[in-house]
Amino acid sequence: MRLTRLTLLLIAGILALGFYRLCDYLLDDLEFQTFQATEESMVDAAHLFAAAAEAHLVEGRLGSETLEAFERTFSNAREREFEAQIFVKKKTGVSLDCYLTDQDGIVIFDSRHERTGQDLSVFNDVYQTKLGEYGARSSRIDEGDASTSVMYVGAPIRHDGEIVGVATAYKAQKELLPFVYKRRGQILRPAIAIALAILFLIWSVLFWLYRPIGRLAEYARRITAGERPAYPPLGKGQEVNALGKALRDMRETLEGRSYVENYTQTLTHELKSPLAAIRGSAELLDEEMPLAARHRFLKNIRTEVDRSERLINRLLHLSALEGKTELQKREPIVVNTLMEDSVRLLKNQADLRNVTVRVEHPPQPVIFSGDFYIIRAALENLLQNAIDFSPEGSVITVTLALDEEMLTLTVKDEGPGLPEYAIERAFDRFYSHRPEDCASKGSGLGLTFVREAAQLHGGSARIANHPEGGAVATIQIPL
């Protein structure tokens, strides 16, 4: 899933950058287009002002009559009362102004009375117009504030084909900003909605594709770590299910090959010792010897045969367990009853060693879902080990503990415990650590079976020395 998140973040970043660039372009272009449209109407207004000025020329010059006529016109216009609801803005007054410059570029009239007498001959609206070109500009009243920009468009005032002045229409850009902001919102909201929809679609596709792959990766990682994970659910995608089936088949094939090779080697190694003992005893029986010695060698043969048989049987049980990737069946198990049955089955062996087995569990039935025979065999292995290691007259305590998430079975004995190096290897296959006074030699497969049984149920097994003496073996299974 980490890959899914990284991929999603990368695509989200690319998508966000792309939409940012698109929106930035659209919004900048929106403002530019709005000002362009306004400039087009200001060109008309400038030429209307110029035509009106030409109609009032005195001897081909912009005289006082011309200025008075413009003053009356703008004064009357500003006194007009009206309401015009234009899109998002209610317009209640004239916001277009005009100034006139003479042939030298000196302002001789300004509808706002702010520039009268100023020399504007170097500004484009005047300078370009006097040259017979299109004159326009945009200038800020406050250079540090873009909202103070004012648009200017000039038109020539002619007399007998000669330019005798310039009429400039001007308008503050802030009068147009409400329209720009409204249109920006109308563009941004759908753009953001589309971006989120695309992101959700991409996330859904990636989640659908990568989640099963992430599960397969975790499945492979747990296999590599030596765990026994169940095959994960992968949904209905044909491709990912084919990949999962191929991975599972490969795992089973590789495990089968290494399993056979490993077991062949270990079984051969473990059977060498009893077979050598049987051969030696059988060869000695061909010789003349006292009857007591003959009985001793015959007993040795029977003991080694029994040991070999136990080894092979346990190995068969363990191989059957290790061959399972998951439980084939689950049934409700009453753990209280399972504990009592296991203790009853091994009671004779405990009595022979004068060992007492005490069972502690809650009064109410504790039930979980699993394989009854596998769990019982695992518990019996722990009990058998505890009996073998326990001194006469000691007590073995079998305890069941339960919380909201975990079931814990504990077998504690009062034996000598295990050295640290033995604890580390206790669950290794064919490893057996027995005290010198122990009558029987272990197969080294019992604790391995316990660990496999716990892992097959999604749990774990461990062994440790108790602070007060003896060993404590534990099986934990999640509920």
Coordinates of all heavy atoms in Angstrom, one line a residue, residues 86 148 185 190 197 204-205 316 341 356 376 407 442 476:
I86 N -25.6 45.3 -13.6 CA -24.8 44.6 -14.7 C -24.2 43.4 -14.1 O -23.2 43.6 -13.3 CB -23.8 45.6 -15.3 CG1 -24.5 46.9 -15.7 CG2 -23.0 44.9 -16.4 CD1 -23.5 48.0 -16.1
T148 N -4.8 50.1 -8.4 CA -5.0 51.5 -8.8 C -4.7 51.8 -10.2 O -4.6 53.0 -10.6 CB -4.0 52.4 -7.9 OG1 -2.7 52.0 -8.2 CG2 -4.3 52.1 -6.4
G185 N -14.5 33.0 -9.9 CA -15.1 32.0 -9.1 C -15.9 31.0 -9.9 O -15.9 29.8 -9.6
P190 N -15.9 24.9 -10.8 CA -15.9 23.7 -11.7 C -14.6 23.0 -11.9 O -14.5 21.8 -11.9 CB -16.5 24.2 -13.0 CG -17.2 25.5 -12.7 CD -16.4 26.1 -11.6
A197 N -12.7 15.1 -8.9 CA -13.3 13.9 -9.5 C -12.3 13.1 -10.2 O -12.3 11.8 -10.1 CB -14.4 14.4 -10.5
S204 N -9.3 5.5 -7.1 CA -10.1 4.3 -7.2 C -9.4 3.2 -8.0 O -9.4 2.1 -7.6 CB -11.5 4.6 -7.7 OG -12.2 5.6 -6.9
V205 N -8.9 3.7 -9.2 CA -8.3 2.7 -10.1 C -7.0 2.2 -9.4 O -6.7 1.0 -9.5 CB -7.9 3.4 -11.4 CG1 -7.1 2.5 -12.3 CG2 -9.2 3.7 -12.2
L316 N 6.2 -37.8 10.5 CA 5.1 -37.8 9.6 C 4.0 -36.8 10.1 O 3.4 -36.1 9.2 CB 4.5 -39.2 9.6 CG 5.3 -40.3 8.9 CD1 4.7 -41.7 9.1 CD2 5.4 -40.0 7.4
D341 N -8.9 -33.1 28.7 CA -8.7 -34.3 28.0 C -7.2 -34.6 27.9 O -6.7 -35.8 28.0 CB -9.3 -34.2 26.6 CG -10.8 -34.3 26.6 OD1 -11.3 -34.7 27.7 OD2 -11.4 -33.9 25.6
T356 N 2.4 -34.3 39.8 CA 1.0 -33.8 39.8 C 0.8 -32.7 38.7 O 1.6 -31.8 38.6 CB 0.6 -33.2 41.2 OG1 0.9 -34.2 42.2 CG2 -0.8 -32.7 41.2
R376 N -4.8 -30.0 20.4 CA -4.6 -31.0 21.5 C -3.3 -31.6 21.4 O -2.6 -31.8 22.4 CB -5.7 -32.0 21.4 CG -5.7 -32.9 22.6 CD -6.8 -33.9 22.6 NE -6.6 -35.0 21.6 CZ -7.4 -36.0 21.4 NH1 -8.5 -36.2 22.2 NH2 -7.1 -36.9 20.5
L407 N -5.9 -15.7 23.2 CA -6.1 -16.8 24.1 C -4.7 -17.3 24.4 O -3.9 -17.5 23.5 CB -6.9 -17.9 23.4 CG -7.2 -19.2 24.1 CD1 -8.5 -19.8 23.7 CD2 -6.1 -20.2 23.8
G442 N 14.8 -37.3 23.6 CA 13.7 -36.7 22.8 C 14.0 -36.8 21.3 O 15.2 -37.0 20.9
Q476 N 0.1 -18.9 22.2 CA -0.9 -17.7 22.1 C -1.6 -17.8 20.7 O -0.9 -17.9 19.7 CB -0.1 -16.4 22.2 CG 0.3 -16.1 23.7 CD 0.7 -14.6 23.8 OE1 1.5 -14.1 23.0 NE2 0.2 -14.0 24.9

